[in-house]
Amino acid sequence: MSLVSEWRHALRARMRRWVLSRQRPARSHRLTQNRIFILPTRAGSAFLLVLLLMLVMAINYENNLIYALTFLLLGIFMVAIFHTYSNLAGIEVRVLDAAPCFATESAGFELELCRHSTRRFEQLTFTLERQGEPCVVDLLQPRQALRLYCPAPRRGWLNPGGVKVETTYPLGLFRAWAWLNLDMKTLVYPLPLEAPLPASLQPAAGHGRDAITQRNGDDDFAGLERFQPGMSPRQVDWKSYARGRGLHAKHFAGHQDPDLWLDLDALGSEALEKRLSRLTAWVLELSARDVRFGLRLGQFVLTPARGEGHRVRALSALALYGLEDAS
């Protein structure tokens, strides 16, 4: 990279930080005159240089036709300023959703564009500050959704930074742009490491009828017991009482498999990120099998459960474990 390119890149980064620092993070921003910048593009600068040469030629040769053409093109050049600016002014950008992802994947951030007038906005380019892929959209309807992606290299909270919106519509002579400080972030889970479940965590391995534990419930009749004060009258075995055998209550029991535990410390002295990746893969596998499991991460304990909510809580704990900004 040349010295000029480095200087230009540093200047742009400094200007971007200054613009974003003047805004408070918010879920929506509206593009107004105090947020929009506009400058000629390379084509616009070349166009202006040609107009200057034409003006010198008109003065030198005292040619009225060249004068007329020069000022006509200059008028088009000036009108292009207002059209390019108007192609951004008034647009409202809102944050809709940010979907979690796994490390090394691309995180997606869904935005919504709103226009509060009948004017159409065309050729709008949106880019995330952190190496995001540009997205070009046309706002022809009152609302338009778009999704921006940026790389997620590591686990934890991912803030994509500011959002840049720009346009060169309609003639490409000017570039109008704005930086928006949107309040959006997403959680990046550890990258799942393909590893088979150990035998101790296999739901069907070693868990026979003898390993099944009983719990109070109403699934199966388990026998009679002496009626104690506080028991529901519905539990009384009236047939047994009518036969003179005393007051007994029916006892029911259900069955459940022993709870499985995923323990970070049980994986030995392997690197922390590798252990978290193994646990992530096992959480996904046990959740796919709809098996109850618990999670231990040092002082953090997630009680055994199953379901989508439990899977999300487990993955979130793995993503934030050991990070200072876990809050």
Side-chain angles (χ1 to χ4, degrees):
M1 183 180 293
S2 65
L3 183 61
V4 176
S5 298
E6 292 181 359
W7 178 81
R8 184 185 303 143
H9 180 74
L11 182 61
R12 289 178 178 175
R14 185 172 181 178
M15 181 178 179
R16 178 179 66 246
R17 290 193 298 267
W18 176 76
V19 172
L20 293 176
S21 66
R22 297 175 64 240
Q23 305 176 24
R24 291 184 178 180
R27 299 290 292 180
S28 66
H29 280 294
R30 189 168 182 176
L31 297 176
T32 54
Q33 68 273 12
N34 60 339
R35 292 179 178 171
I36 300 176
F37 301 86
I38 185 168
L39 283 175
T41 61
R42 290 184 179 181
S45 301
F47 187 87
L48 191 60
L49 180 60
V50 170
L51 289 182
L52 182 61
L53 294 177
M54 291 177 62
L55 181 60
V56 172
M57 185 183 300
I59 295 174
N60 186 46
Y61 291 100
E62 297 182 355
N63 191 311
N64 292 333
L65 183 59
I66 300 179
Y67 271 121
L69 181 59
T70 300
F71 288 113
L72 175 62
L73 295 178
L74 181 60
I76 295 176
F77 184 82
M78 299 300 293
V79 170
I81 298 176
F82 298 100
H83 278 279
T84 304
Y85 168 82
S86 299
N87 199 47
L88 284 187
I91 299 176
E92 184 177 359
V93 182
R94 300 174 181 172
V95 179
L96 290 184
D97 188 26
C101 67
F102 294 95
T104 72
E105 295 181 348
S106 293
F109 299 88
E110 189 173 359
L111 304 178
E112 183 184 51
L113 309 181
C114 304
R115 61 183 177 93
H116 303 278
S117 64
T118 58
R119 187 194 322 144
R120 295 186 174 187
F121 302 86
E122 303 183 48
Q123 298 179 19
L124 305 173
T125 303
F126 287 81
T127 312
L128 290 174
E129 181 180 359
R130 293 193 174 180
Q131 303 176 355
E133 292 293 329
C135 177
V136 181
V137 297
D138 294 328
L139 182 54
L140 306 180
Q141 303 297 327
R143 299 178 185 272
Q144 173 72 36
L146 73 150
R147 185 175 288 270
L148 301 177
Y149 295 91
C150 75
R154 61 185 65 86
R155 67 182 177 92
W157 287 111
L158 173 65
N159 188 336
V163 176
K164 182 182 182 182
V165 52
E166 60 181 337
T167 183
T168 58
Y169 181 86
L171 300 178
L173 299 178
F174 288 89
R175 173 177 285 104
W177 77 94
W179 281 100
L180 302 178
N181 192 359
L182 293 172
D183 182 15
M184 58 181 182
K185 63 180 181 178
T186 189
L187 195 57
V188 180
Y189 303 140
L191 178 67
L193 181 63
E194 293 186 5
L197 278 172
S200 59
L201 294 178
Q202 292 290 344
H207 294 164
R209 294 292 299 179
D210 294 338
I212 294 179
T213 60
Q214 282 194 344
R215 56 176 171 83
N216 292 329
D218 55 1
D219 296 335
D220 301 309
F221 177 70
L224 298 177
E225 60 180 348
R226 285 284 183 181
F227 184 83
Q228 302 293 334
M231 290 186 174
S232 173
R234 297 181 180 180
Q235 295 180 256
V236 175
D237 183 19
W238 297 107
K239 293 182 178 180
S240 176
Y241 179 74
R243 294 171 183 171
R245 298 178 181 177
L247 196 60
H248 291 78
K250 297 178 182 179
H251 175 63
F252 296 88
H255 300 279
Q256 64 179 2
D257 292 333
D259 293 327
L260 303 179
W261 282 95
L262 302 177
D263 195 338
L264 180 67
D265 295 334
L267 297 183
S269 59
E270 204 172 23
L272 174 62
E273 296 302 324
K274 200 168 185 179
R275 285 184 288 162
L276 292 175
S277 294
R278 288 183 185 276
L279 291 177
T280 300
W282 294 344
V283 166
L284 295 176
E285 184 171 350
L286 293 177
S287 298
R289 298 185 185 184
D290 196 26
V291 176
R292 285 173 54 92
F293 67 91
L295 180 65
R296 293 192 185 100
L297 300 174
Q299 301 294 331
F300 175 82
V301 177
L302 183 63
T303 56
R306 59 161 58 94
E308 178 65 18
H310 184 67
R311 182 184 74 92
V312 172
R313 287 190 292 272
L315 291 176
S316 300
L318 291 168
L320 299 176
Y321 177 75
L323 299 182
E324 295 180 357
D325 59 344
S327 58

